[in-house]
Amino acid sequence: MLAELVAYLEDLYPEDEDDPPAPWTVDSLAALGAFLVARVDGQPAACGALAPMSDPATLEIVRMYVRPAFRSAGLAAQTLAALEAEARARGAQTLLLRCGPRQPAALKVYERNGYARRGAFAHHREHETNVFLEKGISG
């Protein structure tokens, strides 16, 4: 599924080749953060991960993806909710993420779930292909 996600993003944002996704693998995310997979009838349908940041109270949501055949079924919101619950369980207070302007459905999911636009963070850069979002999850 991660290879599908990378190919999807490369097709959607070909001009962004100098700012590729961070080199997180399933193994590194599972060891350092969390990697969740949603299944439908046993088939992987969606995924999302939490990556550590320098501030232990902040995690980055990465590798959010819903396979095309499973879109519009609420899996993105369910995966996001599961990531938020996992982040809370780990003591995180803030979640950050990067999305893109050519992903309006994803942006709507994030905004409907309380994520607000913000500036660039960590190794990311301000660029027309980047939209940065943040949500406080404490309490």
Side-chain angles (χ1 to χ4, degrees):
M1 222 176 349
L2 291 184
E4 288 175 34
L5 170 60
V6 170
Y8 169 73
L9 292 174
E10 287 175 350
D11 286 347
L12 203 54
Y13 302 101
E15 73 277 18
D16 208 19
E17 65 186 27
D18 63 329
D19 190 22
W24 294 110
T25 64
V26 172
D27 291 338
S28 65
L29 287 167
L32 298 172
F35 187 81
L36 305 178
V37 176
R39 296 181 183 274
V40 174
D41 296 328
Q43 291 191 15
C47 63
L50 297 171
M53 304 217 31
S54 59
D55 174 4
T58 303
L59 294 171
E60 181 179 3
I61 294 176
V62 297
R63 304 302 192 260
M64 277 285 294
Y65 181 66
V66 178
R67 286 185 152 156
F70 300 99
R71 291 184 184 157
S72 299
L75 288 175
Q78 291 173 18
T79 302
L80 189 59
L83 288 169
E84 290 176 4
E86 180 64 25
R88 275 189 206 92
R90 293 169 181 252
Q93 297 175 2
T94 305
L95 290 174
L96 305 176
L97 64 91
R98 174 178 78 150
C99 192
R102 296 179 197 143
Q103 297 164 273
L107 289 169
K108 283 181 185 176
V109 167
Y110 296 131
E111 289 168 356
R112 271 196 310 258
N113 284 280
Y115 288 77
R117 291 184 187 229
R118 58 156 291 147
F121 61 90
H123 63 279
H124 300 298
R125 64 188 173 114
E126 294 290 346
H127 189 270
E128 65 186 20
T129 59
N130 288 333
V131 176
F132 301 101
L133 301 163
E134 175 177 352
K135 180 178 180 180
I137 60 167
S138 60

